[in-house]
Amino acid sequence: RRCRPPPSAAAARVAHRPAALVRGAEHRRAARRGNPVGHNGPVTSEETGAAPAPERRPRRVGLLALAAAFVLLADQVTKAVAVAALQGEPPARLLGGALYLDLHRNPGAAFSMATGFTWVFTLVAMVVVVAIIRLAPRLRSAGWAVGLGMVLGGAAGNLCDRLFRAPGPMRGHVVDFLSVFGPNGAYFPIFNLADSGLSVGGALIVLLALLGRDYDGTRTSDRRRAGDATTA
């Protein structure tokens, strides 16, 4: 019986080529993820002694846009209804006097403050809107997305009034129509739903910051532990 000759060096190289290609693909994937790579493949965090990389959270742009659109739409619809129904009418008493629908035109900031600086607050609202939109792609926290979305919707709602209502662009008066515990803002400044969105969204952001939750989905305590492990 004939014995087969041993494989040539060229045949051995061909036989080992698929394994080399697989290792090369693994190395490239690990390098793109920022993981260390050894001769035999990617090196795990247990082998290097380093802390494992944090889990990548999904972006929250859609949630921010949904919250902003809800506040903006609710604000503009209620303002249109208030102007149509309350113009020239006395305040409407609701909830046993806990709430009054009382139409006012506000040239100032939220809750009728600083009425002599209309154009300044228009510019401030523009800056807030642009800043939140620029931050949106880095948002990975659901709470921050909802809070910033409410702030964005509130700022955009009042900005629409300042741009498109009388007496003119950049000087438009904001429509306010909610007065609590009494008419004419006797106990609290008259406001609208955009003001409410600004206040609730801002309060939510402050609460998340106090709890150590950042807009990118991480915690301040986690970053501190990771920094300690790195220095150690």
Side-chain angles (χ1 to χ4, degrees):
R1 180 182 298 178
R2 289 186 177 181
C3 295
R4 293 183 178 180
S8 63
R13 285 196 299 271
V14 171
H16 288 289
R17 186 174 298 169
L21 292 176
V22 170
R23 286 197 299 272
E26 292 177 351
H27 288 192
R28 287 191 295 272
R29 285 196 296 269
R32 284 196 296 268
R33 290 193 296 265
N35 297 333
V37 179
H39 293 292
N40 297 323
V43 180
T44 63
S45 58
E46 290 81 2
E47 294 172 339
T48 60
E55 182 182 357
R56 192 70 168 174
R57 296 174 180 267
R59 293 182 178 179
R60 303 294 185 179
V61 178
L63 185 57
L64 179 141
L66 183 63
F70 176 78
V71 173
L72 177 59
L73 181 62
D75 175 69
Q76 292 299 301
V77 169
T78 53
K79 284 176 178 175
V81 173
V83 170
L86 300 175
Q87 187 74 43
E89 298 292 334
R93 186 172 183 265
L94 300 176
L95 304 177
L99 179 66
Y100 287 80
L101 301 182
D102 192 1
L103 185 65
H104 282 261
R105 307 281 182 163
N106 171 26
F111 303 105
S112 303
M113 295 184 294
T115 57
F117 299 92
T118 304
W119 67 272
V120 174
F121 293 114
T122 303
L123 295 177
V124 171
M126 290 179 175
V127 171
V128 170
V129 169
V130 171
I132 294 177
I133 291 175
R134 288 176 60 88
L135 180 64
R138 300 197 293 273
L139 273 179
R140 298 185 184 276
S141 166
W144 273 84
V146 172
L148 286 177
M150 297 182 71
V151 172
L152 176 60
N158 285 339
L159 180 61
C160 288
D161 287 9
R162 299 188 191 283
L163 292 177
F164 303 116
R165 293 189 184 274
M170 301 291 290
R171 299 178 293 110
H173 293 181
V174 174
V175 173
D176 290 335
F177 60 93
L178 298 174
S179 181
V180 293
F181 307 125
N184 301 312
Y187 299 96
F188 191 81
I190 302 177
F191 60 98
N192 54 45
L193 292 188
D195 299 334
S196 300
L198 287 166
S199 301
V200 175
L204 178 57
I205 292 171
V206 171
L207 177 61
L208 292 171
L210 291 175
L211 294 176
R213 298 176 180 269
D214 290 334
Y215 66 88
D216 58 358
T218 61
R219 293 172 179 264
T220 306
S221 57
D222 294 339
R223 289 205 308 271
R224 188 180 300 114
R225 284 197 296 268
D228 294 342
T230 303
T231 55

PDB file of all heavy atoms in Angstrom, residues 171-206:
ATOM      1  N   ARG A 171     -40.056  91.123  19.829  1.00  0.00           N
ATOM      2  CA  ARG A 171     -40.698  91.933  20.862  1.00  0.00           C
ATOM      3  C   ARG A 171     -42.098  91.449  21.201  1.00  0.00           C
ATOM      4  O   ARG A 171     -42.848  92.125  21.891  1.00  0.00           O
ATOM      5  CB  ARG A 171     -40.754  93.398  20.409  1.00  0.00           C
ATOM      6  CG  ARG A 171     -39.396  94.023  20.164  1.00  0.00           C
ATOM      7  CD  ARG A 171     -39.510  95.452  19.665  1.00  0.00           C
ATOM      8  NE  ARG A 171     -40.093  95.519  18.329  1.00  0.00           N
ATOM      9  CZ  ARG A 171     -41.306  96.008  18.065  1.00  0.00           C
ATOM     10  NH1 ARG A 171     -42.065  96.451  19.051  1.00  0.00           N
ATOM     11  NH2 ARG A 171     -41.752  96.044  16.831  1.00  0.00           N
ATOM     12  N   GLY A 172     -42.462  90.282  20.679  1.00  0.00           N
ATOM     13  CA  GLY A 172     -43.808  89.774  20.888  1.00  0.00           C
ATOM     14  C   GLY A 172     -44.101  89.487  22.355  1.00  0.00           C
ATOM     15  O   GLY A 172     -43.215  89.094  23.116  1.00  0.00           O
ATOM     16  N   HIS A 173     -45.346  89.682  22.753  1.00  0.00           N
ATOM     17  CA  HIS A 173     -45.774  89.441  24.121  1.00  0.00           C
ATOM     18  C   HIS A 173     -46.269  88.009  24.270  1.00  0.00           C
ATOM     19  O   HIS A 173     -47.043  87.512  23.444  1.00  0.00           O
ATOM     20  CB  HIS A 173     -46.872  90.424  24.512  1.00  0.00           C
ATOM     21  CG  HIS A 173     -46.400  91.833  24.603  1.00  0.00           C
ATOM     22  ND1 HIS A 173     -47.224  92.889  24.957  1.00  0.00           N
ATOM     23  CD2 HIS A 173     -45.166  92.377  24.393  1.00  0.00           C
ATOM     24  CE1 HIS A 173     -46.529  94.019  24.958  1.00  0.00           C
ATOM     25  NE2 HIS A 173     -45.280  93.733  24.613  1.00  0.00           N
ATOM     26  N   VAL A 174     -45.841  87.352  25.338  1.00  0.00           N
ATOM     27  CA  VAL A 174     -46.208  85.965  25.591  1.00  0.00           C
ATOM     28  C   VAL A 174     -47.617  85.909  26.180  1.00  0.00           C
ATOM     29  O   VAL A 174     -47.991  86.734  27.022  1.00  0.00           O
ATOM     30  CB  VAL A 174     -45.199  85.317  26.563  1.00  0.00           C
ATOM     31  CG1 VAL A 174     -45.645  83.912  26.968  1.00  0.00           C
ATOM     32  CG2 VAL A 174     -43.817  85.272  25.921  1.00  0.00           C
ATOM     33  N   VAL A 175     -48.407  84.941  25.736  1.00  0.00           N
ATOM     34  CA  VAL A 175     -49.770  84.764  26.235  1.00  0.00           C
ATOM     35  C   VAL A 175     -49.726  83.971  27.539  1.00  0.00           C
ATOM     36  O   VAL A 175     -49.280  82.818  27.571  1.00  0.00           O
ATOM     37  CB  VAL A 175     -50.642  84.034  25.199  1.00  0.00           C
ATOM     38  CG1 VAL A 175     -52.015  83.703  25.777  1.00  0.00           C
ATOM     39  CG2 VAL A 175     -50.779  84.865  23.931  1.00  0.00           C
ATOM     40  N   ASP A 176     -50.178  84.576  28.623  1.00  0.00           N
ATOM     41  CA  ASP A 176     -50.332  83.919  29.924  1.00  0.00           C
ATOM     42  C   ASP A 176     -51.805  83.887  30.280  1.00  0.00           C
ATOM     43  O   ASP A 176     -52.537  84.855  30.020  1.00  0.00           O
ATOM     44  CB  ASP A 176     -49.552  84.671  31.009  1.00  0.00           C
ATOM     45  CG  ASP A 176     -48.047  84.542  30.847  1.00  0.00           C
ATOM     46  OD1 ASP A 176     -47.607  83.550  30.243  1.00  0.00           O
ATOM     47  OD2 ASP A 176     -47.322  85.440  31.321  1.00  0.00           O
ATOM     48  N   PHE A 177     -52.253  82.799  30.909  1.00  0.00           N
ATOM     49  CA  PHE A 177     -53.688  82.708  31.199  1.00  0.00           C
ATOM     50  C   PHE A 177     -54.013  81.855  32.424  1.00  0.00           C
ATOM     51  O   PHE A 177     -55.187  81.633  32.725  1.00  0.00           O
ATOM     52  CB  PHE A 177     -54.430  82.123  29.986  1.00  0.00           C
ATOM     53  CG  PHE A 177     -53.962  80.747  29.596  1.00  0.00           C
ATOM     54  CD1 PHE A 177     -54.601  79.616  30.087  1.00  0.00           C
ATOM     55  CD2 PHE A 177     -52.895  80.573  28.754  1.00  0.00           C
ATOM     56  CE1 PHE A 177     -54.184  78.350  29.734  1.00  0.00           C
ATOM     57  CE2 PHE A 177     -52.464  79.311  28.386  1.00  0.00           C
ATOM     58  CZ  PHE A 177     -53.112  78.194  28.879  1.00  0.00           C
ATOM     59  N   LEU A 178     -53.019  81.375  33.163  1.00  0.00           N
ATOM     60  CA  LEU A 178     -53.265  80.543  34.342  1.00  0.00           C
ATOM     61  C   LEU A 178     -52.899  81.328  35.600  1.00  0.00           C
ATOM     62  O   LEU A 178     -51.756  81.762  35.767  1.00  0.00           O
ATOM     63  CB  LEU A 178     -52.437  79.259  34.272  1.00  0.00           C
ATOM     64  CG  LEU A 178     -52.749  78.326  33.095  1.00  0.00           C
ATOM     65  CD1 LEU A 178     -51.761  77.158  33.061  1.00  0.00           C
ATOM     66  CD2 LEU A 178     -54.175  77.812  33.173  1.00  0.00           C
ATOM     67  N   SER A 179     -53.879  81.516  36.469  1.00  0.00           N
ATOM     68  CA  SER A 179     -53.673  82.238  37.725  1.00  0.00           C
ATOM     69  C   SER A 179     -54.213  81.381  38.871  1.00  0.00           C
ATOM     70  O   SER A 179     -55.372  80.947  38.827  1.00  0.00           O
ATOM     71  CB  SER A 179     -54.405  83.595  37.687  1.00  0.00           C
ATOM     72  OG  SER A 179     -54.201  84.313  38.890  1.00  0.00           O
ATOM     73  N   VAL A 180     -53.373  81.106  39.863  1.00  0.00           N
ATOM     74  CA  VAL A 180     -53.774  80.210  40.952  1.00  0.00           C
ATOM     75  C   VAL A 180     -54.225  81.007  42.173  1.00  0.00           C
ATOM     76  O   VAL A 180     -53.665  82.054  42.499  1.00  0.00           O
ATOM     77  CB  VAL A 180     -52.621  79.258  41.337  1.00  0.00           C
ATOM     78  CG1 VAL A 180     -52.329  78.290  40.203  1.00  0.00           C
ATOM     79  CG2 VAL A 180     -51.359  80.034  41.692  1.00  0.00           C
ATOM     80  N   PHE A 181     -55.283  80.486  42.812  1.00  0.00           N
ATOM     81  CA  PHE A 181     -55.830  80.998  44.084  1.00  0.00           C
ATOM     82  C   PHE A 181     -56.481  82.371  43.976  1.00  0.00           C
ATOM     83  O   PHE A 181     -57.004  82.884  44.958  1.00  0.00           O
ATOM     84  CB  PHE A 181     -54.756  81.025  45.180  1.00  0.00           C
ATOM     85  CG  PHE A 181     -54.052  79.714  45.362  1.00  0.00           C
ATOM     86  CD1 PHE A 181     -52.667  79.640  45.293  1.00  0.00           C
ATOM     87  CD2 PHE A 181     -54.767  78.555  45.585  1.00  0.00           C
ATOM     88  CE1 PHE A 181     -52.018  78.432  45.459  1.00  0.00           C
ATOM     89  CE2 PHE A 181     -54.124  77.344  45.748  1.00  0.00           C
ATOM     90  CZ  PHE A 181     -52.752  77.272  45.677  1.00  0.00           C
ATOM     91  N   GLY A 182     -56.440  82.993  42.819  1.00  0.00           N
ATOM     92  CA  GLY A 182     -57.089  84.285  42.672  1.00  0.00           C
ATOM     93  C   GLY A 182     -56.836  84.843  41.289  1.00  0.00           C
ATOM     94  O   GLY A 182     -55.856  84.476  40.621  1.00  0.00           O
ATOM     95  N   PRO A 183     -57.698  85.740  40.801  1.00  0.00           N
ATOM     96  CA  PRO A 183     -57.501  86.336  39.467  1.00  0.00           C
ATOM     97  C   PRO A 183     -56.383  87.381  39.489  1.00  0.00           C
ATOM     98  O   PRO A 183     -55.935  87.828  40.551  1.00  0.00           O
ATOM     99  CB  PRO A 183     -58.863  86.964  39.170  1.00  0.00           C
ATOM    100  CG  PRO A 183     -59.425  87.281  40.524  1.00  0.00           C
ATOM    101  CD  PRO A 183     -58.928  86.211  41.452  1.00  0.00           C
ATOM    102  N   ASN A 184     -55.942  87.749  38.291  1.00  0.00           N
ATOM    103  CA  ASN A 184     -54.974  88.836  38.101  1.00  0.00           C
ATOM    104  C   ASN A 184     -53.624  88.565  38.777  1.00  0.00           C
ATOM    105  O   ASN A 184     -52.889  89.506  39.103  1.00  0.00           O
ATOM    106  CB  ASN A 184     -55.535  90.170  38.612  1.00  0.00           C
ATOM    107  CG  ASN A 184     -56.816  90.562  37.900  1.00  0.00           C
ATOM    108  OD1 ASN A 184     -56.890  90.519  36.677  1.00  0.00           O
ATOM    109  ND2 ASN A 184     -57.839  90.912  38.674  1.00  0.00           N
ATOM    110  N   GLY A 185     -53.302  87.300  39.032  1.00  0.00           N
ATOM    111  CA  GLY A 185     -52.017  86.981  39.657  1.00  0.00           C
ATOM    112  C   GLY A 185     -51.878  87.549  41.043  1.00  0.00           C
ATOM    113  O   GLY A 185     -50.783  87.968  41.442  1.00  0.00           O
ATOM    114  N   ALA A 186     -52.972  87.562  41.816  1.00  0.00           N
ATOM    115  CA  ALA A 186     -52.952  88.170  43.146  1.00  0.00           C
ATOM    116  C   ALA A 186     -52.042  87.418  44.110  1.00  0.00           C
ATOM    117  O   ALA A 186     -51.433  88.028  44.993  1.00  0.00           O
ATOM    118  CB  ALA A 186     -54.381  88.233  43.708  1.00  0.00           C
ATOM    119  N   TYR A 187     -51.926  86.096  43.946  1.00  0.00           N
ATOM    120  CA  TYR A 187     -51.135  85.298  44.886  1.00  0.00           C
ATOM    121  C   TYR A 187     -49.889  84.685  44.240  1.00  0.00           C
ATOM    122  O   TYR A 187     -48.956  84.313  44.947  1.00  0.00           O
ATOM    123  CB  TYR A 187     -51.998  84.170  45.466  1.00  0.00           C
ATOM    124  CG  TYR A 187     -53.185  84.668  46.235  1.00  0.00           C
ATOM    125  CD1 TYR A 187     -54.434  84.764  45.623  1.00  0.00           C
ATOM    126  CD2 TYR A 187     -53.054  85.076  47.555  1.00  0.00           C
ATOM    127  CE1 TYR A 187     -55.534  85.238  46.324  1.00  0.00           C
ATOM    128  CE2 TYR A 187     -54.152  85.544  48.266  1.00  0.00           C
ATOM    129  CZ  TYR A 187     -55.388  85.626  47.643  1.00  0.00           C
ATOM    130  OH  TYR A 187     -56.472  86.104  48.345  1.00  0.00           O
ATOM    131  N   PHE A 188     -49.899  84.586  42.927  1.00  0.00           N
ATOM    132  CA  PHE A 188     -48.767  83.995  42.210  1.00  0.00           C
ATOM    133  C   PHE A 188     -48.812  84.530  40.789  1.00  0.00           C
ATOM    134  O   PHE A 188     -49.893  84.716  40.225  1.00  0.00           O
ATOM    135  CB  PHE A 188     -48.858  82.467  42.219  1.00  0.00           C
ATOM    136  CG  PHE A 188     -47.626  81.769  41.734  1.00  0.00           C
ATOM    137  CD1 PHE A 188     -46.531  81.596  42.578  1.00  0.00           C
ATOM    138  CD2 PHE A 188     -47.537  81.304  40.433  1.00  0.00           C
ATOM    139  CE1 PHE A 188     -45.393  80.954  42.132  1.00  0.00           C
ATOM    140  CE2 PHE A 188     -46.392  80.668  39.979  1.00  0.00           C
ATOM    141  CZ  PHE A 188     -45.319  80.492  40.839  1.00  0.00           C
ATOM    142  N   PRO A 189     -47.650  84.811  40.182  1.00  0.00           N
ATOM    143  CA  PRO A 189     -47.657  85.365  38.823  1.00  0.00           C
ATOM    144  C   PRO A 189     -48.415  84.477  37.838  1.00  0.00           C
ATOM    145  O   PRO A 189     -48.361  83.252  37.903  1.00  0.00           O
ATOM    146  CB  PRO A 189     -46.162  85.452  38.460  1.00  0.00           C
ATOM    147  CG  PRO A 189     -45.465  85.540  39.779  1.00  0.00           C
ATOM    148  CD  PRO A 189     -46.279  84.724  40.728  1.00  0.00           C
ATOM    149  N   ILE A 190     -49.126  85.117  36.926  1.00  0.00           N
ATOM    150  CA  ILE A 190     -49.862  84.394  35.894  1.00  0.00           C
ATOM    151  C   ILE A 190     -48.862  83.708  34.956  1.00  0.00           C
ATOM    152  O   ILE A 190     -47.817  84.276  34.616  1.00  0.00           O
ATOM    153  CB  ILE A 190     -50.775  85.357  35.111  1.00  0.00           C
ATOM    154  CG1 ILE A 190     -51.748  86.036  36.083  1.00  0.00           C
ATOM    155  CG2 ILE A 190     -51.542  84.630  34.030  1.00  0.00           C
ATOM    156  CD1 ILE A 190     -52.635  87.059  35.424  1.00  0.00           C
ATOM    157  N   PHE A 191     -49.181  82.490  34.522  1.00  0.00           N
ATOM    158  CA  PHE A 191     -48.233  81.708  33.728  1.00  0.00           C
ATOM    159  C   PHE A 191     -48.974  80.929  32.651  1.00  0.00           C
ATOM    160  O   PHE A 191     -50.205  81.039  32.491  1.00  0.00           O
ATOM    161  CB  PHE A 191     -47.414  80.778  34.628  1.00  0.00           C
ATOM    162  CG  PHE A 191     -48.239  79.782  35.401  1.00  0.00           C
ATOM    163  CD1 PHE A 191     -48.397  78.476  34.950  1.00  0.00           C
ATOM    164  CD2 PHE A 191     -48.859  80.145  36.602  1.00  0.00           C
ATOM    165  CE1 PHE A 191     -49.157  77.561  35.650  1.00  0.00           C
ATOM    166  CE2 PHE A 191     -49.622  79.233  37.320  1.00  0.00           C
ATOM    167  CZ  PHE A 191     -49.769  77.940  36.843  1.00  0.00           C
ATOM    168  N   ASN A 192     -48.217  80.121  31.901  1.00  0.00           N
ATOM    169  CA  ASN A 192     -48.787  79.264  30.862  1.00  0.00           C
ATOM    170  C   ASN A 192     -48.128  77.892  30.936  1.00  0.00           C
ATOM    171  O   ASN A 192     -47.284  77.642  31.815  1.00  0.00           O
ATOM    172  CB  ASN A 192     -48.610  79.904  29.473  1.00  0.00           C
ATOM    173  CG  ASN A 192     -47.156  80.249  29.196  1.00  0.00           C
ATOM    174  OD1 ASN A 192     -46.240  79.471  29.451  1.00  0.00           O
ATOM    175  ND2 ASN A 192     -46.923  81.453  28.674  1.00  0.00           N
ATOM    176  N   LEU A 193     -48.481  76.997  30.023  1.00  0.00           N
ATOM    177  CA  LEU A 193     -47.931  75.646  30.071  1.00  0.00           C
ATOM    178  C   LEU A 193     -46.449  75.609  29.700  1.00  0.00           C
ATOM    179  O   LEU A 193     -45.725  74.712  30.149  1.00  0.00           O
ATOM    180  CB  LEU A 193     -48.726  74.722  29.147  1.00  0.00           C
ATOM    181  CG  LEU A 193     -50.166  74.433  29.567  1.00  0.00           C
ATOM    182  CD1 LEU A 193     -50.775  73.357  28.674  1.00  0.00           C
ATOM    183  CD2 LEU A 193     -50.238  73.997  31.032  1.00  0.00           C
ATOM    184  N   ALA A 194     -45.986  76.556  28.894  1.00  0.00           N
ATOM    185  CA  ALA A 194     -44.553  76.616  28.592  1.00  0.00           C
ATOM    186  C   ALA A 194     -43.752  76.919  29.854  1.00  0.00           C
ATOM    187  O   ALA A 194     -42.693  76.316  30.091  1.00  0.00           O
ATOM    188  CB  ALA A 194     -44.282  77.679  27.522  1.00  0.00           C
ATOM    189  N   ASP A 195     -44.253  77.848  30.675  1.00  0.00           N
ATOM    190  CA  ASP A 195     -43.597  78.146  31.947  1.00  0.00           C
ATOM    191  C   ASP A 195     -43.570  76.905  32.842  1.00  0.00           C
ATOM    192  O   ASP A 195     -42.575  76.640  33.528  1.00  0.00           O
ATOM    193  CB  ASP A 195     -44.310  79.283  32.667  1.00  0.00           C
ATOM    194  CG  ASP A 195     -44.301  80.578  31.867  1.00  0.00           C
ATOM    195  OD1 ASP A 195     -43.383  80.756  31.050  1.00  0.00           O
ATOM    196  OD2 ASP A 195     -45.224  81.396  32.061  1.00  0.00           O
ATOM    197  N   SER A 196     -44.669  76.152  32.847  1.00  0.00           N
ATOM    198  CA  SER A 196     -44.727  74.924  33.646  1.00  0.00           C
ATOM    199  C   SER A 196     -43.703  73.905  33.160  1.00  0.00           C
ATOM    200  O   SER A 196     -43.033  73.248  33.961  1.00  0.00           O
ATOM    201  CB  SER A 196     -46.137  74.330  33.582  1.00  0.00           C
ATOM    202  OG  SER A 196     -47.099  75.232  34.083  1.00  0.00           O
ATOM    203  N   GLY A 197     -43.567  73.769  31.835  1.00  0.00           N
ATOM    204  CA  GLY A 197     -42.572  72.851  31.297  1.00  0.00           C
ATOM    205  C   GLY A 197     -41.158  73.250  31.678  1.00  0.00           C
ATOM    206  O   GLY A 197     -40.336  72.397  32.038  1.00  0.00           O
ATOM    207  N   LEU A 198     -40.871  74.546  31.615  1.00  0.00           N
ATOM    208  CA  LEU A 198     -39.558  75.036  32.023  1.00  0.00           C
ATOM    209  C   LEU A 198     -39.280  74.730  33.491  1.00  0.00           C
ATOM    210  O   LEU A 198     -38.187  74.271  33.849  1.00  0.00           O
ATOM    211  CB  LEU A 198     -39.468  76.543  31.785  1.00  0.00           C
ATOM    212  CG  LEU A 198     -39.337  77.016  30.332  1.00  0.00           C
ATOM    213  CD1 LEU A 198     -39.603  78.506  30.230  1.00  0.00           C
ATOM    214  CD2 LEU A 198     -37.947  76.690  29.793  1.00  0.00           C
ATOM    215  N   SER A 199     -40.278  74.954  34.347  1.00  0.00           N
ATOM    216  CA  SER A 199     -40.076  74.760  35.781  1.00  0.00           C
ATOM    217  C   SER A 199     -39.928  73.289  36.143  1.00  0.00           C
ATOM    218  O   SER A 199     -39.005  72.891  36.870  1.00  0.00           O
ATOM    219  CB  SER A 199     -41.249  75.377  36.556  1.00  0.00           C
ATOM    220  OG  SER A 199     -41.365  76.750  36.282  1.00  0.00           O
ATOM    221  N   VAL A 200     -40.834  72.449  35.637  1.00  0.00           N
ATOM    222  CA  VAL A 200     -40.784  71.015  35.969  1.00  0.00           C
ATOM    223  C   VAL A 200     -39.540  70.368  35.373  1.00  0.00           C
ATOM    224  O   VAL A 200     -38.858  69.575  36.037  1.00  0.00           O
ATOM    225  CB  VAL A 200     -42.066  70.323  35.475  1.00  0.00           C
ATOM    226  CG1 VAL A 200     -41.978  68.812  35.704  1.00  0.00           C
ATOM    227  CG2 VAL A 200     -43.288  70.885  36.185  1.00  0.00           C
ATOM    228  N   GLY A 201     -39.220  70.700  34.120  1.00  0.00           N
ATOM    229  CA  GLY A 201     -38.016  70.139  33.503  1.00  0.00           C
ATOM    230  C   GLY A 201     -36.754  70.570  34.218  1.00  0.00           C
ATOM    231  O   GLY A 201     -35.853  69.759  34.455  1.00  0.00           O
ATOM    232  N   GLY A 202     -36.680  71.845  34.591  1.00  0.00           N
ATOM    233  CA  GLY A 202     -35.508  72.325  35.331  1.00  0.00           C
ATOM    234  C   GLY A 202     -35.381  71.657  36.688  1.00  0.00           C
ATOM    235  O   GLY A 202     -34.279  71.296  37.114  1.00  0.00           O
ATOM    236  N   ALA A 203     -36.514  71.484  37.391  1.00  0.00           N
ATOM    237  CA  ALA A 203     -36.474  70.818  38.691  1.00  0.00           C
ATOM    238  C   ALA A 203     -36.024  69.369  38.553  1.00  0.00           C
ATOM    239  O   ALA A 203     -35.257  68.855  39.394  1.00  0.00           O
ATOM    240  CB  ALA A 203     -37.852  70.888  39.344  1.00  0.00           C
ATOM    241  N   LEU A 204     -36.457  68.681  37.503  1.00  0.00           N
ATOM    242  CA  LEU A 204     -36.038  67.296  37.282  1.00  0.00           C
ATOM    243  C   LEU A 204     -34.538  67.210  37.026  1.00  0.00           C
ATOM    244  O   LEU A 204     -33.851  66.312  37.541  1.00  0.00           O
ATOM    245  CB  LEU A 204     -36.815  66.709  36.109  1.00  0.00           C
ATOM    246  CG  LEU A 204     -36.476  65.263  35.705  1.00  0.00           C
ATOM    247  CD1 LEU A 204     -36.663  64.317  36.882  1.00  0.00           C
ATOM    248  CD2 LEU A 204     -37.324  64.836  34.518  1.00  0.00           C
ATOM    249  N   ILE A 205     -33.994  68.135  36.252  1.00  0.00           N
ATOM    250  CA  ILE A 205     -32.556  68.137  35.969  1.00  0.00           C
ATOM    251  C   ILE A 205     -31.754  68.379  37.245  1.00  0.00           C
ATOM    252  O   ILE A 205     -30.735  67.724  37.498  1.00  0.00           O
ATOM    253  CB  ILE A 205     -32.238  69.198  34.899  1.00  0.00           C
ATOM    254  CG1 ILE A 205     -32.825  68.789  33.554  1.00  0.00           C
ATOM    255  CG2 ILE A 205     -30.730  69.411  34.769  1.00  0.00           C
ATOM    256  CD1 ILE A 205     -32.752  69.866  32.504  1.00  0.00           C
ATOM    257  N   VAL A 206     -32.210  69.331  38.075  1.00  0.00           N
ATOM    258  CA  VAL A 206     -31.521  69.602  39.345  1.00  0.00           C
ATOM    259  C   VAL A 206     -31.562  68.366  40.240  1.00  0.00           C
ATOM    260  O   VAL A 206     -30.559  68.010  40.881  1.00  0.00           O
ATOM    261  CB  VAL A 206     -32.166  70.809  40.045  1.00  0.00           C
ATOM    262  CG1 VAL A 206     -31.613  70.970  41.456  1.00  0.00           C
ATOM    263  CG2 VAL A 206     -31.906  72.085  39.243  1.00  0.00           C
TER     264      VAL A 206
END
